[in-house]
Amino acid sequence: RVLLLRHRFWPEGSWGLPGGYAHPGERLEDALARELREETGFRIAGQRLLCVSSGYRMRIEVVYTARLAGGAVRLDEREVLAADLFPPDALPPGLLRSHRELIALALESSRSDHAE
């Protein structure tokens, strides 16, 4: 299943992947774990680099896959309106197009890893 959020700063009705910003000197894997814990209450493990992209507003985006490793839903209502887990074949309407593409890439990567 895929954890998706409805974020206060995204267009109304949209869903997307969790994310955030790294603090100076913070490892990216740690930033992902911290942001997810702060926004949802969940802990993760097994962070694995999926892709790196650049060219959007002077930033670099680093995308990881991970698995939920515990915690309880505790949304940061200043940022997150809702969080839910979706089967990859039943993603919600309103899912940001770029995030739909990242989910497809993660699924393809996972299938390739299991085929080896």
Side-chain angles (χ1 to χ4, degrees):
R1 296 183 297 164
V2 180
L3 176 63
L4 297 174
L5 307 180
R6 288 192 54 224
H7 208 281
R8 187 170 300 284
F9 306 120
W10 294 338
E12 187 174 338
S14 63
W15 288 87
L17 295 164
Y21 295 91
H23 296 307
E26 185 176 32
R27 290 183 47 219
L28 296 176
E29 298 90 336
D30 296 338
L32 173 62
R34 176 187 49 74
E35 283 282 349
L36 191 67
R37 189 178 56 253
E38 289 174 357
E39 291 186 356
T40 68
F42 289 124
R43 292 189 321 275
I44 57 172
Q47 293 95 311
R48 184 169 164 223
L49 181 64
L50 181 64
C51 67
V52 177
S53 62
S54 64
Y56 179 75
R57 294 187 181 175
M58 302 280 296
R59 72 181 184 201
I60 295 174
E61 294 183 336
V62 181
V63 181
Y64 287 88
T65 61
R67 62 180 167 73
L68 291 178
V73 178
R74 190 185 70 250
L75 300 182
D76 177 350
E77 294 178 358
R78 294 169 299 170
E79 294 187 41
V80 179
L81 300 169
D84 208 343
L85 292 164
F86 294 89
D89 60 349
L91 298 171
L95 176 59
L96 298 169
R97 182 173 38 91
S98 61
H99 292 204
R100 188 175 298 276
E101 292 167 1
L102 289 170
I103 292 167
L105 181 62
L107 292 170
E108 180 181 309
S109 175
S110 177
R111 282 191 290 272
S112 295
D113 290 346
H114 291 128
E116 295 176 357

